[in-house]
Amino acid sequence: FFSPLASRRHAMSVAADTSASPLTAECALAKSAKGAACVQLVGQVLDNPSLYVFGELLDMPNVQALADGPPAHAAAYELLKIFAYGTWKDYTARAAQLGQLSAAQATKLKKLSVVSLAAASKSLPYDTLLSELEIGSVRELENLLIECVYGELLSGKLDQQARVFEVHHSLGRDLHPSEVAQMGELLSRWHSGALDALGSIRSKLETYKARCEAASATAAELNSSVENVRANLRAQDDSEPGGGGGGGGFDDRMDFEEDKQRKSGRTKGKLAMGFGPRK
């Protein structure tokens, strides 16, 4: 026996304990909902203005069982697939079989159709959108696009003068089973490209590391050579008569020479300005 109230409370508790998917609660309900109760659940999901992905619900056994049920049950399953993968045009081509949509469902499917169009082209002319969505006025179309933007289904810019919507980003929809192989190939190429980029970065880092180590070795060798020269000069100075006594060593002589040069510079400066010893 399916009790919507009890199952909803259980599903909400499950959703509160996990941060998985927006469909967590609905998938929990689908575990016990069968037949007409499952059809009702599908209708609630399609009415929900905050749910735009349906793949996990489609994978639930009780939902898949609808395909082999009475026509009304099979229609609910097919309609759910259109909301997952299809567009407004797909629905209108089978409207007689699938039944009438509620106003909320119709608006939602048109928004999903805009997302599919945005994934195919970054520039959506108003004329194309009006035709694909079967909308009668530009004002109604722009309101729908604005709702898509505020609902974070896509982002972009309305160009009313050019009568076009420029797409910056769009939500990803459920992947149709026929597209899995293509997506796998695309991900494989991306993975190969990522590995190539990683290898290039690693090679550049190794080159940079080697250059840094070489520069450090050169600097250490230079410092060692300087210290050797200093040590040899001190040794020579100490070996000379009086070199190591009170007269001062190599370092003291270096200081003396520097003082002598500074004094010579000051004397030349005074003479150039007219100062000096009187004759």
Side-chain angles (χ1 to χ4, degrees):
F1 176 70
F2 174 69
S3 171
L5 180 59
S7 296
R8 172 63 66 175
R9 287 173 178 169
H10 171 68
M12 290 178 66
S13 66
V14 171
D17 293 338
T18 63
S19 57
S21 152
L23 282 170
T24 299
E26 285 70 18
C27 289
L29 289 172
K31 292 180 180 179
S32 55
K34 298 181 179 181
C38 192
V39 172
Q40 181 182 3
L41 175 62
V42 169
Q44 292 172 355
V45 169
L46 299 184
D47 279 325
N48 192 325
S50 63
L51 294 177
Y52 289 94
V53 289
F54 312 94
E56 291 177 81
L57 187 62
L58 276 168
D59 290 338
M60 299 300 295
N62 286 341
V63 175
Q64 293 182 348
L66 295 176
D68 300 323
H73 294 188
Y77 179 72
E78 291 299 319
L79 188 59
L80 181 60
K81 289 202 299 183
I82 285 181
F83 272 74
Y85 319 123
T87 64
W88 178 256
K89 287 282 191 178
D90 295 328
Y91 164 73
T92 56
R94 303 171 59 192
Q97 172 193 352
L98 300 175
Q100 185 73 25
L101 296 182
S102 67
Q105 290 173 353
T107 299
K108 184 173 180 176
L109 184 54
K110 290 181 179 181
K111 290 179 180 179
L112 287 168
S113 301
V114 173
V115 171
S116 291
L117 292 169
S121 175
K122 295 303 180 183
S123 181
L124 303 178
Y126 279 17
D127 291 340
T128 300
L129 292 171
L130 289 169
S131 174
E132 290 292 327
L133 305 177
E134 297 181 348
I135 292 178
S137 69
V138 171
R139 178 63 179 273
E140 183 181 352
L141 173 62
E142 290 180 340
N143 287 341
L144 182 71
L145 293 173
I146 291 171
E147 289 179 12
C148 288
V149 172
Y150 278 112
E152 298 183 351
L153 298 180
L154 51 79
S155 62
K157 178 183 178 182
L158 281 172
D159 189 338
Q160 295 177 314
Q161 184 175 2
R163 290 171 57 88
V164 68
F165 182 81
E166 299 294 343
V167 180
H168 299 162
H169 169 77
S170 62
L171 178 76
R173 294 190 65 183
D174 291 298
L175 192 66
H176 192 278
S178 64
E179 300 172 328
V180 171
Q182 180 183 359
M183 180 60 69
E185 182 180 350
L186 180 64
L187 290 174
S188 178
R189 290 201 301 269
W190 177 88
H191 181 256
S192 298
L195 290 179
D196 290 342
L198 184 61
S200 176
I201 293 173
R202 185 179 291 112
S203 176
K204 291 181 183 299
L205 287 175
E206 291 296 332
T207 301
Y208 173 75
K209 181 180 178 181
R211 289 178 178 176
C212 288
E213 291 176 350
S216 297
T218 300
E221 183 179 355
L222 179 61
N223 290 334
S224 177
S225 298
V226 170
E227 289 301 322
N228 289 336
V229 170
R230 287 179 177 271
N232 291 334
L233 290 175
R234 290 192 184 97
Q236 292 175 8
D237 185 71
D238 290 343
S239 65
E240 294 178 357
F250 169 75
D251 292 333
D252 293 336
R253 294 231 308 270
M254 290 294 293
D255 293 339
F256 171 76
E257 291 295 332
E258 290 177 1
D259 289 341
K260 183 178 179 181
Q261 290 177 4
R262 283 197 295 269
K263 290 178 181 179
S264 175
R266 286 197 296 268
T267 301
K268 290 180 180 179
K270 289 180 179 180
L271 291 174
M273 295 177 65
F275 299 100
R278 294 180 180 178
K279 296 181 179 180

